[in-house]
Amino acid sequence: MTATGRSAPSPDGLVNSLTEFIQKAVDANRGSTQANKPGHRIKFHWPPHPVSYDYHVTPGEWKDKGTFQAYAETFDVEIATTKHGVFGRCQALWIEARGEDRPEMLTAIAKACEPLFDRQFAISKTLSQSGRFKRHIRDLPPEDVLKLLYCSDRDVAHQASVEIETHVSLKIFTPALIEILKDRKHPNRRVAQWCVLDLFEDLPGFCADEKQENEAVEAMAGILWDAEDDFARTTFKAGVVLGGHLPHKSGGPVLLRSLKAPSPFGRRSAIHGLFHVVEWQQEMRDEVVAALRAHSKIEDNDQLKEFAVLLASDIELAEYDHIPEPVFPGES
């Protein structure tokens, strides 16, 4: 990630930058460390389908010029007046719109740009920049790409994670990614943590050595132990990564230990994750079944008690279409 000519930052430098970023978010949130509940990821597609194609507007029909304004900026518009209405296209924003007349078209084209503007302003806000973001995420320095994992727009966070994955061979991001899993302060941490867990499905590819891999695993376990929620399905994701992607070395033991987690969200994830462990580690079947049945006798949450009993039976009978995990009151 040196397209701008800058030398690659050190792993410690990225951790320090991230720590400062998180503290600034806490300060801006008046000291609150409560996690936000994010919405679902909405995939961003740009440019939209050009409406002029549907009406076969020819190149020669774009004869007129106009402008529209949005957020203190003025944008040029090429205009075609046809028997099907008035069409406008803004080359700077790769957008088209149609209206019955010129004012209606200009209103429509300004409205059609809102998803792009929303995304650009979300990026700028995350990076504490003014105006709308007009660059590409791939052109940002590594410290800013990391910050975008916390963006309120989950598709932006996803794109940042794709950029990090593209440069996994640099091995500079991993300490900061582990710090994100340990984060208990930033209001948007659940989105960032989900992205990191998704990346860590290929944990060996990110880690320089076994020590670093163990640190990442313990950070995942930490989410199970003290999760106050399961926003963005982050706690669930931690159990799936441990059980479904790291079952051979660490997943099984960590999830068995996490059955004792204080967090009911974490225990739910551990129970589910153990099902995936047995899918890969058949030799652990008896141990997992016994552990789940033993846990059901001391579990104080009735839903989790039943979940552990039924999942133990499914595993024992090699029934891989197991029951869905319980939904707690207040979850949707």
Side-chain angles (χ1 to χ4, degrees):
M1 300 187 70
T2 57
T4 60
R6 300 173 53 183
S7 59
S10 69
D12 288 343
L14 289 180
V15 170
N16 292 338
S17 174
L18 181 70
T19 301
E20 293 175 5
F21 169 76
I22 291 171
Q23 187 56 51
K24 286 181 180 178
V26 174
D27 294 342
N29 207 29
R30 299 182 178 180
S32 173
T33 58
Q34 184 173 354
N36 291 335
K37 183 177 182 179
H40 297 293
R41 176 192 167 200
I42 300 175
K43 293 183 180 181
F44 182 74
H45 299 287
W46 202 268
H49 176 71
V51 65
S52 65
Y53 284 18
D54 297 332
Y55 291 88
H56 307 291
V57 179
T58 64
E61 291 181 281
W62 298 95
K63 298 177 180 178
D64 200 359
K65 303 287 185 181
T67 62
F68 76 93
Q69 290 188 324
Y71 302 99
E73 289 187 70
T74 300
F75 300 93
D76 293 329
V77 180
E78 297 176 359
I79 300 173
T81 302
T82 76
K83 63 181 180 180
H84 299 294
V86 180
F87 295 81
R89 64 184 182 190
C90 176
Q91 299 281 19
L93 299 174
W94 294 85
I95 185 71
E96 290 189 2
R98 170 184 172 272
E100 292 301 317
D101 53 30
R102 185 186 182 105
E104 183 178 300
M105 178 275 293
L106 291 173
T107 298
I109 200 168
K111 183 178 180 180
C113 292
E114 285 301 316
L116 174 64
F117 292 150
D118 287 345
R119 181 182 180 90
Q120 292 174 326
F121 282 119
I123 293 173
S124 292
K125 182 178 179 181
T126 304
L127 300 179
S128 298
Q129 297 177 355
S130 60
R132 63 186 181 92
F133 181 77
K134 302 176 185 179
R135 301 163 61 190
H136 295 288
I137 291 175
R138 64 176 177 269
D139 296 329
L140 289 171
E143 54 267 32
D144 283 349
V145 176
L146 277 168
K147 293 173 186 177
L148 288 184
L149 294 177
Y150 286 88
C151 187
S152 57
D153 184 325
R154 293 189 66 178
D155 192 67
V156 169
H158 171 76
Q159 289 302 316
S161 72
V162 170
E163 186 62 23
I164 290 172
E165 187 174 28
T166 301
H167 296 86
V168 64
S169 61
L170 296 179
K171 296 286 195 282
I172 61 173
F173 288 103
T174 309
L177 296 176
I178 293 173
E179 286 302 310
I180 289 174
L181 294 183
K182 296 178 180 178
D183 180 13
R184 301 296 182 266
K185 295 181 179 180
H186 198 290
N188 287 347
R189 61 185 176 270
R190 293 309 185 198
V191 171
Q193 288 169 342
W194 196 99
C195 289
V196 173
L197 290 166
D198 195 46
L199 291 170
F200 278 2
E201 288 183 359
D202 178 30
L203 184 62
F206 277 86
C207 294
D209 50 37
E210 188 172 355
K211 179 182 178 182
Q212 193 173 61
E213 192 171 331
N214 290 336
E215 186 180 359
V217 168
E218 287 306 312
M220 294 183 218
I223 290 178
L224 297 184
W225 275 75
D226 61 20
E228 299 174 350
D229 54 67
D230 199 5
F231 296 161
R233 299 293 278 154
T234 299
T235 312
F236 170 81
K237 181 74 171 179
V240 169
V241 174
L242 288 167
H245 297 272
L246 302 169
H248 301 91
K249 185 182 296 185
S250 51
V254 168
L255 290 173
L256 286 170
R257 169 161 49 98
S258 297
L259 290 173
K260 298 179 181 179
S263 166
F265 303 101
R267 296 197 303 276
R268 178 176 65 183
S269 181
I271 293 169
H272 177 94
L274 285 167
F275 183 90
H276 294 297
V277 168
V278 176
E279 285 183 307
W280 294 100
Q281 295 279 82
Q282 293 288 324
E283 63 273 19
M284 288 190 67
R285 174 180 282 131
D286 291 344
E287 180 182 5
V288 168
V289 168
L292 287 173
R293 286 181 172 152
H295 175 70
S296 70
K297 296 177 181 178
I298 61 172
E299 172 60 61
D300 58 7
N301 182 289
D302 290 339
Q303 288 178 281
L304 293 181
K305 183 188 295 285
E306 181 183 24
F307 187 40
V309 169
L310 294 176
L311 204 61
S313 297
D314 283 352
I315 293 172
E316 187 174 48
L317 298 172
E319 294 286 348
Y320 293 114
D321 229 356
H322 64 79
I323 62 165
E325 62 174 28
V327 177
F328 295 147
E331 290 188 312
S332 56

